Amino acid sequence: MARLTDRAFEILRAEVDKCAAADSLAGDVFRRMVIKRLEKLRSQNGTFASIEEIRDTFKNEFPNFSEQALKAAVKANRPPGLFGKIIFAGGLLGSAAGIIWLINLPSPMIRWPVAKTMPILLLPSFMSMDHNYRQAIALVEQSDQLVNKATAVADFDLGEIKAKQAQKHLDALPVWFLGYYPQTYCKFFGCRWRFTVDEFQAARKNVGRMEAQIFQQKNAFTQLNQVEQTLKTAKQEYQQAKTAADRQKATVNWQSAIDQLNQIPAQTLAGETAKKTLKAAERDFQAMGGVATGSVQADNLIEAAKEFALSAAVAAKNPPHPAAQWEQIAQLWQEAINRLKLISVDNPGYLDAQTKLAKYQKDLGITQIRLQAEKDSAKALQAAKSLFANLQNNVNYQNPGYSLSQLQQIINQLESVKPGTTVYPESQKWLQSARKKQQEWQKN
């Protein structure tokens, strides 16, 4: 675009001619110099020359230049009306494409006047609106089909992508232009749409509704995956449990997972899947119920047996003990064994019970041996004491052989007393005394 318009140039030249005629000496020379400068401005492209730039072309040669003529030239050095401004802006952009781009900007101040006078210039906008409208409607329908007829979580992922694409196309529609129907464009291209506020808002609501549905559906699937993992872990923990506490913990987790399956929203696809999982989980849990009951019974019997065994082990510490205490210890071991024997072969706790049963029976056997040793030793000591008292009352000095025979019986009884019994220390004292007496009588 020329920096000086033809109209402005003519106004300035007329005033230059007038000023040059008033100067008889150098007027013609100055006139040619100024006209040459103005011609240069008129041949240049770019922004319109300012008032100061124009004034510089003549201020030294014609200081009496009319200020009114200067202002008239500056006013004329502008594009006429809206389209002049558009053309000027297009000149700045350097091409006709720039002009088209400018008038198709989403600015009502530019587009409304253009739409009324030269709607063909808005063809790119109409094409863009047509494309975005068609794409938005198609993507909304595709997303709606994917969301409301989904068969897997992948459908919701694709539906979410479609909904976002639809939203993008809706955002590209000029909201301020809603309700405007480009008749010229539609006459040639046969568009089938109307940009109405209601339709636009309905499409936005559909997208928003689907985004909410997708969010709920995906959350439900996340919840379902977590519950299924908890359920699987609980089953494995129950099967691998070795103690009553571990089985009880696994049972609680199993029941908790079943409760969580009931909490998944029924109106979601995950909720439909959860119903099937719930039936299988409840069936397995009920089947496990009989096993669990047997396990609990076995666990209780084993725990009771362990308590009796612990009491027996504590009571057996720091021997020797009297026969009565060994009898009590043996009874405790027997009580532990009796409870373990109540666990049947088909009970889950049978193997554990048998392992403990073998140990407790061994401990009972040891206890019974200690008990019998205590009884026999006490009986032997008592017999030795009785024989010794009888020997003292009936010593036969005329027949020492008989007395030595009696003394040997006493020694035999004392030697039968077992080490580790309560009477053993006392028996050793008696044995020492008897052997000493035996030596004395043998010398005589």
Side-chain angles (χ1 to χ4, degrees):
M1 180 62 62
R3 300 193 63 204
L4 188 67
T5 64
D6 292 340
R7 175 61 181 160
F9 177 79
E10 293 299 332
I11 294 173
L12 292 171
R13 185 171 62 176
E15 183 62 24
V16 168
D17 291 342
K18 182 178 178 181
C19 292
D23 187 351
S24 57
L25 294 176
D28 187 56
V29 176
F30 288 161
R31 175 184 176 281
R32 287 197 297 270
M33 292 174 59
V34 173
I35 293 299
K36 186 175 181 180
R37 292 168 187 167
L38 293 175
E39 288 282 3
K40 185 177 181 181
L41 278 178
R42 188 168 65 165
S43 65
Q44 291 177 345
N45 291 324
T47 58
F48 291 113
S50 66
I51 188 171
E52 294 302 326
E53 287 181 296
I54 296 174
R55 191 192 305 276
D56 287 341
T57 61
F58 59 76
K59 67 179 181 180
N60 293 325
E61 289 76 15
F62 301 118
N64 59 339
F65 197 93
S66 171
E67 189 70 20
Q68 184 177 0
L70 176 60
K71 290 180 179 180
V74 171
K75 185 177 181 180
N77 198 36
R78 291 290 183 273
L82 174 65
F83 290 103
K85 293 180 181 180
I86 292 174
I87 293 171
F88 166 66
L92 294 180
L93 295 175
S95 67
I99 299 175
I100 300 299
W101 173 83
L102 179 65
I103 63 176
N104 278 273
L105 288 175
S107 172
M109 294 182 62
I110 297 175
R111 295 179 64 152
W112 275 116
V114 175
K116 292 178 180 179
T117 56
M118 297 183 67
I120 193 64
L121 295 178
L122 295 178
L123 182 62
S125 291
F126 297 148
M127 294 176 67
S128 174
M129 286 187 288
D130 190 14
H131 170 74
N132 286 315
Y133 176 83
R134 293 173 186 270
Q135 289 296 315
I137 296 303
L139 289 168
V140 167
E141 291 177 355
Q142 292 173 21
S143 179
D144 187 64
Q145 288 288 321
L146 288 166
V147 172
N148 292 308
K149 295 184 179 180
T151 58
V153 69
D155 292 338
F156 295 114
D157 292 334
L158 183 57
E160 183 177 21
I161 294 173
K162 297 290 185 181
K164 288 181 178 179
Q165 291 175 347
Q167 184 65 60
K168 184 177 180 181
H169 285 290
L170 287 172
D171 291 339
L173 294 174
V175 181
W176 58 269
F177 221 46
L178 294 176
Y180 174 73
Y181 182 64
Q183 296 180 359
T184 303
Y185 172 81
C186 291
K187 182 185 298 183
F188 290 101
F189 295 94
C191 51
R192 295 170 295 176
W193 43 267
R194 299 289 188 277
F195 285 122
T196 64
V197 177
D198 292 340
E199 189 174 15
F200 181 79
Q201 293 297 335
R204 279 197 177 277
K205 287 179 180 179
N206 283 337
V207 172
R209 173 181 55 78
M210 283 183 290
E211 288 178 343
Q213 282 183 266
I214 292 169
F215 180 78
Q216 183 186 30
Q217 294 280 1
K218 296 183 76 171
N219 273 357
F221 267 106
T222 300
Q223 185 180 357
L224 177 61
N225 291 335
Q226 292 174 347
V227 173
E228 287 179 337
Q229 184 59 45
T230 301
L231 186 62
K232 180 180 178 181
T233 302
K235 289 181 179 180
Q236 292 176 346
E237 289 176 347
Y238 185 85
Q239 293 170 353
Q240 298 171 2
K242 296 181 179 180
T243 65
D246 291 341
R247 278 190 287 272
Q248 180 65 24
K249 180 180 178 182
T251 301
V252 171
N253 291 339
W254 196 334
Q255 183 61 61
S256 176
I258 290 176
D259 294 339
Q260 290 176 34
L261 282 173
N262 278 312
Q263 296 174 5
I264 297 176
Q267 68 274 18
T268 62
L269 181 59
E272 293 295 325
T273 306
K275 290 179 182 178
K276 301 176 183 178
T277 306
L278 179 61
K279 290 180 180 179
E282 289 178 337
R283 182 186 63 245
D284 293 344
F285 193 74
Q286 289 173 359
M288 183 272 296
V291 177
T293 301
S295 296
V296 171
Q297 291 174 351
D299 292 337
N300 291 337
L301 289 170
I302 291 173
E303 289 300 318
K306 287 168 65 176
E307 289 298 322
F308 281 109
L310 178 61
S311 298
V314 171
K317 284 183 177 180
N318 304 319
H321 300 301
Q325 186 168 343
W326 283 119
E327 288 178 350
Q328 183 182 15
I329 294 169
Q331 186 178 0
L332 289 171
W333 283 121
Q334 189 61 54
E335 289 293 338
I337 290 169
N338 291 341
R339 278 154 180 77
L340 293 176
K341 286 182 176 180
L342 293 174
I343 300 174
S344 60
V345 177
D346 58 349
N347 194 291
Y350 178 76
L351 183 60
D352 188 19
Q354 291 300 301
T355 302
K356 288 180 170 54
L357 181 60
K359 181 180 182 303
Y360 294 170
Q361 286 178 332
K362 180 181 177 181
D363 292 334
L364 175 60
I366 294 172
T367 301
Q368 290 173 336
I369 292 173
R370 300 294 293 270
L371 171 60
Q372 191 62 46
E374 186 67 31
K375 287 181 177 181
D376 292 344
S377 297
K379 184 178 179 180
L381 178 60
Q382 186 61 39
K385 287 181 178 180
S386 298
L387 288 171
F388 196 79
N390 184 56
L391 179 60
Q392 285 181 329
N393 294 330
N394 300 289
V395 176
N396 190 340
Y397 294 102
Q398 285 77 25
N399 187 6
Y402 175 77
S403 297
L404 285 171
S405 175
Q406 292 292 312
L407 188 60
Q408 186 59 49
Q409 291 182 21
I410 294 172
I411 291 172
N412 292 340
Q413 289 290 335
L414 292 172
E415 285 179 342
S416 67
V417 175
K418 302 294 184 181
T421 60
T422 57
V423 296
Y424 183 74
E426 185 180 0
S427 71
Q428 292 304 297
K429 293 178 182 180
W430 282 89
L431 181 59
Q432 185 179 4
S433 177
R435 286 174 176 170
K436 184 177 180 182
K437 183 66 68 176
Q438 184 184 45
Q439 290 174 359
E440 291 176 356
W441 287 358
Q442 286 174 347
K443 289 179 181 179
N444 296 328

